[in-house]
Short mmCIF file of all heavy atoms in Angstrom, two decimals:
data_model
loop_
_atom_site.label_atom_id
_atom_site.label_comp_id
_atom_site.label_asym_id
_atom_site.label_seq_id
_atom_site.Cartn_x
_atom_site.Cartn_y
_atom_site.Cartn_z
N ILE A 8 82.32 99.03 90.73
CA ILE A 8 82.77 97.70 91.17
C ILE A 8 84.24 97.48 90.82
O ILE A 8 84.95 96.76 91.54
CB ILE A 8 81.89 96.57 90.62
CG1 ILE A 8 81.99 96.44 89.10
CG2 ILE A 8 80.44 96.75 91.07
CD1 ILE A 8 81.27 95.22 88.54
N SER A 9 84.71 98.11 89.77
CA SER A 9 86.14 98.04 89.45
C SER A 9 86.95 98.72 90.53
O SER A 9 88.05 98.27 90.88
CB SER A 9 86.42 98.67 88.09
OG SER A 9 85.75 98.01 87.05
N ALA A 10 86.42 99.81 91.07
CA ALA A 10 87.11 100.51 92.15
C ALA A 10 87.17 99.67 93.40
O ALA A 10 88.20 99.61 94.08
CB ALA A 10 86.39 101.83 92.44
N ALA A 11 86.07 98.99 93.73
CA ALA A 11 86.04 98.16 94.95
C ALA A 11 86.85 96.89 94.78
O ALA A 11 87.63 96.52 95.65
CB ALA A 11 84.60 97.83 95.31
N GLY A 12 86.64 96.20 93.66
CA GLY A 12 87.48 95.07 93.31
C GLY A 12 87.17 93.74 93.95
O GLY A 12 87.80 92.73 93.62
N SER A 13 86.21 93.66 94.86
CA SER A 13 85.95 92.39 95.55
C SER A 13 85.29 91.38 94.61
O SER A 13 84.53 91.75 93.71
CB SER A 13 85.05 92.63 96.76
OG SER A 13 83.75 92.98 96.37
N GLU A 14 85.56 90.11 94.85
CA GLU A 14 84.98 89.07 94.01
C GLU A 14 83.46 89.07 94.09
O GLU A 14 82.76 88.83 93.10
CB GLU A 14 85.51 87.70 94.43
CG GLU A 14 84.99 86.56 93.56
CD GLU A 14 85.51 85.20 93.97
OE1 GLU A 14 86.14 85.11 95.04
OE2 GLU A 14 85.27 84.22 93.22
N LYS A 15 82.92 89.36 95.27
CA LYS A 15 81.47 89.39 95.44
C LYS A 15 80.82 90.37 94.49
O LYS A 15 79.73 90.10 93.95
CB LYS A 15 81.14 89.77 96.89
CG LYS A 15 79.66 89.88 97.18
CD LYS A 15 79.41 90.29 98.61
CE LYS A 15 77.91 90.49 98.89
NZ LYS A 15 77.66 90.92 100.29
N LEU A 16 81.45 91.49 94.25
CA LEU A 16 80.88 92.51 93.38
C LEU A 16 81.23 92.31 91.91
O LEU A 16 80.46 92.68 91.03
CB LEU A 16 81.36 93.90 93.82
CG LEU A 16 80.85 94.42 95.16
CD1 LEU A 16 81.58 95.71 95.54
CD2 LEU A 16 79.35 94.67 95.11
N THR A 17 82.40 91.73 91.64
CA THR A 17 82.92 91.74 90.27
C THR A 17 82.77 90.42 89.52
O THR A 17 82.86 90.41 88.29
CB THR A 17 84.41 92.10 90.27
OG1 THR A 17 85.14 91.10 91.01
CG2 THR A 17 84.64 93.46 90.92
N LYS A 18 82.53 89.30 90.22
CA LYS A 18 82.52 88.00 89.56
C LYS A 18 81.47 87.95 88.46
O LYS A 18 80.29 88.25 88.66
CB LYS A 18 82.23 86.90 90.59
CG LYS A 18 82.35 85.49 90.02
CD LYS A 18 82.15 84.43 91.09
CE LYS A 18 82.29 83.04 90.53
NZ LYS A 18 82.11 82.01 91.60
N GLY A 19 81.91 87.60 87.26
CA GLY A 19 81.02 87.47 86.12
C GLY A 19 80.81 88.73 85.32
O GLY A 19 80.12 88.71 84.29
N PHE A 20 81.40 89.85 85.77
CA PHE A 20 81.16 91.12 85.10
C PHE A 20 82.40 91.67 84.40
O PHE A 20 82.43 92.84 84.02
CB PHE A 20 80.64 92.15 86.11
CG PHE A 20 79.31 91.79 86.71
CD1 PHE A 20 79.20 91.53 88.06
CD2 PHE A 20 78.19 91.66 85.92
CE1 PHE A 20 77.98 91.19 88.63
CE2 PHE A 20 76.96 91.31 86.47
CZ PHE A 20 76.85 91.07 87.83
N GLY A 21 83.40 90.84 84.20
CA GLY A 21 84.61 91.29 83.54
C GLY A 21 84.40 91.47 82.04
O GLY A 21 83.39 91.01 81.49
N PRO A 22 85.35 92.15 81.35
CA PRO A 22 86.55 92.73 81.94
C PRO A 22 86.23 94.02 82.71
O PRO A 22 85.36 94.80 82.32
CB PRO A 22 87.42 93.05 80.72
CG PRO A 22 86.43 93.27 79.62
CD PRO A 22 85.28 92.34 79.89
N LEU A 23 86.95 94.19 83.82
CA LEU A 23 86.76 95.38 84.63
C LEU A 23 87.55 96.55 84.06
O LEU A 23 88.47 96.36 83.25
CB LEU A 23 87.21 95.10 86.07
CG LEU A 23 86.47 93.96 86.77
CD1 LEU A 23 87.06 93.76 88.17
CD2 LEU A 23 84.98 94.23 86.85
N LEU A 24 87.20 97.75 84.50
CA LEU A 24 87.91 98.93 84.03
C LEU A 24 89.28 99.03 84.70
O LEU A 24 89.41 98.79 85.91
CB LEU A 24 87.10 100.18 84.35
CG LEU A 24 85.76 100.34 83.64
CD1 LEU A 24 85.11 101.65 84.05
CD2 LEU A 24 85.93 100.28 82.13
N PRO A 25 90.29 99.39 83.95
CA PRO A 25 91.60 99.61 84.56
C PRO A 25 91.63 100.94 85.30
O PRO A 25 90.69 101.74 85.23
CB PRO A 25 92.54 99.63 83.36
CG PRO A 25 91.68 100.14 82.23
CD PRO A 25 90.30 99.60 82.49
N GLY A 26 92.72 101.17 86.02
CA GLY A 26 92.91 102.46 86.65
C GLY A 26 92.60 102.50 88.13
O GLY A 26 92.57 103.58 88.72
N PHE A 27 92.40 101.32 88.74
CA PHE A 27 92.18 101.25 90.18
C PHE A 27 93.16 100.26 90.79
O PHE A 27 93.47 99.23 90.19
CB PHE A 27 90.75 100.82 90.50
CG PHE A 27 89.71 101.73 89.94
CD1 PHE A 27 89.06 101.43 88.75
CD2 PHE A 27 89.38 102.91 90.59
CE1 PHE A 27 88.09 102.27 88.22
CE2 PHE A 27 88.42 103.77 90.07
CZ PHE A 27 87.78 103.45 88.88
N ARG A 28 93.64 100.59 91.97
CA ARG A 28 94.55 99.69 92.68
C ARG A 28 94.05 99.53 94.11
O ARG A 28 94.00 100.50 94.86
CB ARG A 28 95.97 100.26 92.67
CG ARG A 28 97.05 99.30 93.17
CD ARG A 28 98.43 99.91 92.89
NE ARG A 28 98.59 100.22 91.47
CZ ARG A 28 99.37 101.18 90.99
NH1 ARG A 28 100.07 101.95 91.81
NH2 ARG A 28 99.45 101.40 89.69
N GLN A 29 93.61 98.30 94.45
CA GLN A 29 93.05 98.05 95.77
C GLN A 29 94.17 97.71 96.75
O GLN A 29 95.08 96.92 96.44
CB GLN A 29 92.04 96.90 95.73
CG GLN A 29 90.77 97.21 94.98
CD GLN A 29 90.90 97.00 93.47
OE1 GLN A 29 91.71 96.22 93.02
NE2 GLN A 29 90.08 97.71 92.69
N LEU A 30 94.09 98.29 97.94
CA LEU A 30 95.09 98.08 98.98
C LEU A 30 94.45 97.42 100.20
O LEU A 30 93.25 97.60 100.45
CB LEU A 30 95.71 99.42 99.40
CG LEU A 30 96.36 100.23 98.30
CD1 LEU A 30 96.80 101.59 98.85
CD2 LEU A 30 97.54 99.49 97.70
N PRO A 31 95.23 96.68 100.99
CA PRO A 31 94.67 96.08 102.20
C PRO A 31 94.20 97.17 103.17
O PRO A 31 94.85 98.21 103.31
CB PRO A 31 95.85 95.29 102.79
CG PRO A 31 96.79 95.09 101.65
CD PRO A 31 96.64 96.29 100.77
N PHE A 32 93.09 96.94 103.83
CA PHE A 32 92.55 97.88 104.80
C PHE A 32 93.49 97.97 106.00
O PHE A 32 93.80 96.96 106.63
CB PHE A 32 91.16 97.42 105.25
CG PHE A 32 90.42 98.40 106.11
CD1 PHE A 32 89.68 99.42 105.55
CD2 PHE A 32 90.46 98.30 107.49
CE1 PHE A 32 88.98 100.33 106.33
CE2 PHE A 32 89.76 99.20 108.29
CZ PHE A 32 89.02 100.22 107.70
N GLY A 33 93.98 99.16 106.28
CA GLY A 33 94.83 99.35 107.45
C GLY A 33 96.31 99.09 107.25
O GLY A 33 97.08 99.20 108.21
N ASP A 34 96.74 98.80 106.02
CA ASP A 34 98.16 98.54 105.76
C ASP A 34 98.84 99.85 105.35
O ASP A 34 98.84 100.24 104.19
CB ASP A 34 98.31 97.49 104.65
CG ASP A 34 99.75 97.00 104.48
OD1 ASP A 34 100.68 97.77 104.79
OD2 ASP A 34 99.94 95.86 104.02
N HIS A 35 99.42 100.53 106.33
CA HIS A 35 100.00 101.85 106.08
C HIS A 35 101.23 101.79 105.19
O HIS A 35 101.46 102.69 104.37
CB HIS A 35 100.34 102.52 107.41
CG HIS A 35 99.15 102.76 108.28
ND1 HIS A 35 99.04 102.29 109.55
CD2 HIS A 35 97.99 103.41 108.03
CE1 HIS A 35 97.88 102.64 110.07
NE2 HIS A 35 97.22 103.32 109.17
N ASP A 36 102.01 100.74 105.31
CA ASP A 36 103.21 100.61 104.47
C ASP A 36 102.84 100.45 103.00
O ASP A 36 103.45 101.08 102.12
CB ASP A 36 104.06 99.43 104.94
CG ASP A 36 104.70 99.66 106.30
OD1 ASP A 36 104.85 100.84 106.70
OD2 ASP A 36 105.02 98.67 106.99
N ALA A 37 101.84 99.61 102.74
CA ALA A 37 101.40 99.40 101.36
C ALA A 37 100.84 100.69 100.79
O ALA A 37 101.07 101.02 99.62
CB ALA A 37 100.35 98.29 101.31
N LEU A 38 100.13 101.44 101.60
CA LEU A 38 99.55 102.70 101.15
C LEU A 38 100.63 103.72 100.81
O LEU A 38 100.59 104.36 99.76
CB LEU A 38 98.63 103.26 102.24
CG LEU A 38 98.09 104.67 102.02
CD1 LEU A 38 97.26 104.75 100.75
CD2 LEU A 38 97.26 105.12 103.22
N ARG A 39 101.60 103.85 101.69
CA ARG A 39 102.66 104.83 101.46
C ARG A 39 103.45 104.49 100.20
O ARG A 39 103.79 105.38 99.41
CB ARG A 39 103.58 104.90 102.69
CG ARG A 39 104.71 105.91 102.55
CD ARG A 39 105.31 106.30 103.88
NE ARG A 39 104.37 107.13 104.64
CZ ARG A 39 104.19 108.43 104.43
NH1 ARG A 39 104.87 109.06 103.47
NH2 ARG A 39 103.34 109.11 105.15
N GLU A 40 103.73 103.22 99.99
CA GLU A 40 104.46 102.81 98.79
C GLU A 40 103.63 103.07 97.54
O GLU A 40 104.14 103.59 96.54
CB GLU A 40 104.80 101.32 98.88
CG GLU A 40 105.56 100.80 97.68
CD GLU A 40 105.89 99.32 97.78
OE1 GLU A 40 105.62 98.71 98.84
OE2 GLU A 40 106.42 98.77 96.79
N ALA A 41 102.34 102.73 97.58
CA ALA A 41 101.49 102.90 96.41
C ALA A 41 101.30 104.37 96.06
O ALA A 41 101.26 104.75 94.89
CB ALA A 41 100.13 102.24 96.65
N ALA A 42 101.17 105.23 97.07
CA ALA A 42 100.93 106.66 96.84
C ALA A 42 102.07 107.33 96.11
O ALA A 42 101.88 108.36 95.46
CB ALA A 42 100.65 107.36 98.16
N ALA A 43 103.27 106.76 96.21
CA ALA A 43 104.44 107.36 95.58
C ALA A 43 104.60 107.00 94.12
O ALA A 43 105.45 107.56 93.42
CB ALA A 43 105.70 106.95 96.36
N ALA A 44 103.75 106.07 93.64
CA ALA A 44 103.87 105.62 92.25
C ALA A 44 103.52 106.76 91.30
O ALA A 44 102.58 107.54 91.56
CB ALA A 44 102.97 104.43 92.00
#
């Protein structure tokens, strides 16, 4: 659920595990920028 990150899955179950970064579905610019980190 930390990987998915949606409120539906995660609400009430915090703290979540670090190490995941959720990106908008279909946003190629955001993906390319994030992949270079």
Side-chain angles (χ1 to χ4, degrees):
I8 66 172
S9 298
S13 69
E14 183 180 8
K15 178 181 177 181
L16 292 172
T17 62
K18 186 176 181 180
F20 297 116
L23 301 178
L24 295 181
F27 301 98
R28 190 171 304 152
Q29 292 84 26
L30 303 175
F32 188 85
D34 190 332
H35 298 123
D36 292 337
L38 172 61
R39 181 161 289 280
E40 180 180 355

